[in-house]
Amino acid sequence: LGRVGKFGMETLAEQSFLSTFLFYTLSGIISALILPWLSRQPAKAWKMAAPYSVIWMIGMAVSFYLYIRDTLRLKKRLSNAQKNHSDLCYRVFISSNIEEAFVYGLRKATIYVPDGSSESEMKYILLHETTHVRHGDHILKVILYFFLMLNWYNPLVWLMYVLANQDIELACDESVVKKLAEEERKAYAKLLYACSSKADFCPGRVM
């Protein structure tokens, strides 16, 4: 869920700097502690690595399987979605089987919106999701998940994944707010605030 930096929260620049600084600091500390020891004992390092490489491949295979399984389940839930004939250049579908709006697909990004959204909610939802598409977030999220699958064993990569997703939402919200008038910003902020306790009709994730 995105948060708008214009309403008294930390700015996107601060969030991005802290995320990057934390990730690289922790990575540097761990590398400085482990790599010198391994370089002095290559044979021992290889013996230690061999069984773990099997575990790594199993973990990556499991991650890939879960991704495919969840993708197929989501496609099944979206099978009854109805196309929304709006003036947007993007494909928009309405579904009664989802609780939050999101972007799905790589080659042809499609926006899915929960059924029952009001006209005002639809306006801000579509503005949020189309901003994600213009930023290429639907592609970036897949790349991030790919690196997460490769490094599933590394807690720092999981931390990076979470922080990167937060930055994606912050950047999206900041771009949206710049296009809105003062009263519209308040309405958009109220929608985001409502999302903190209820998923329905919210600008949501990017698949």
Side-chain angles (χ1 to χ4, degrees), residues 7 123-124 177 180-190:
F7 295 92
K123 172 186 173 181
Y124 295 121
V177 167
L180 300 176
E182 188 64 33
E183 288 304 313
E184 291 177 317
R185 290 181 181 183
K186 292 177 182 177
Y188 184 71
K190 286 178 181 178

Side-chain angles (χ1 to χ4, degrees), residues 189-206:
K190 286 178 181 178
L191 178 63
L192 293 179
Y193 179 76
C195 289
S196 63
S197 58
K198 188 177 180 181
D200 298 42
F201 318 137
C202 295
R205 63 188 182 277
V206 185

Side-chain angles (χ1 to χ4, degrees), residues 30-193:
I30 292 175
S31 299
L33 292 173
I34 295 176
L35 292 180
W37 179 79
L38 290 177
S39 63
R40 290 194 298 268
Q41 306 179 62
K44 191 171 184 179
W46 173 251
K47 270 189 181 179
M48 290 174 60
Y52 289 113
S53 63
V54 176
I55 297 173
W56 169 73
M57 286 187 287
I58 293 172
M60 192 171 62
V62 169
S63 300
F64 184 72
Y65 163 76
L66 292 175
Y67 178 79
I68 296 298
R69 185 200 66 180
D70 292 344
T71 299
L72 293 175
R73 285 181 177 177
L74 181 60
K75 281 187 175 181
K76 186 176 180 181
R77 289 177 62 191
L78 298 175
S79 60
N80 70 335
Q82 302 295 318
K83 189 170 184 179
N84 178 268
H85 299 283
S86 60
D87 296 330
L88 290 170
C89 340
Y90 304 99
R91 299 193 308 166
V92 180
F93 283 80
I94 309 295
S95 174
S96 57
N97 292 332
I98 58 174
E99 294 182 340
E100 59 179 328
F102 58 87
V103 179
Y104 182 81
L106 288 175
R107 191 169 60 89
K108 289 185 179 180
T110 302
I111 298 170
Y112 287 90
V113 180
D115 189 22
S117 308
S118 69
E119 187 176 338
S120 60
E121 288 168 339
M122 181 72 81
K123 172 186 173 181
Y124 295 121
I125 288 170
L126 292 180
L127 185 56
H128 181 98
E129 302 305 334
T130 53
T131 300
H132 272 310
V133 177
R134 285 197 301 273
H135 287 182
D137 294 337
H138 57 301
I139 299 172
L140 178 58
K141 288 274 287 188
V142 174
I143 295 172
L144 285 171
Y145 190 77
F146 174 74
F147 280 106
L148 184 65
M149 284 195 296
L150 288 176
N151 300 278
W152 59 269
Y153 56 88
N154 190 338
L156 292 180
V157 175
W158 283 90
L159 176 63
M160 180 197 69
Y161 182 77
V162 171
L163 295 176
N165 277 282
Q166 290 178 355
D167 284 348
I168 286 172
E169 291 301 330
L170 282 167
C172 181
D173 288 331
E174 202 162 67
S175 294
V176 170
V177 167
K178 286 178 181 177
K179 300 173 185 176
L180 300 176
E182 188 64 33
E183 288 304 313
E184 291 177 317
R185 290 181 181 183
K186 292 177 182 177
Y188 184 71
K190 286 178 181 178
L191 178 63
L192 293 179
Y193 179 76

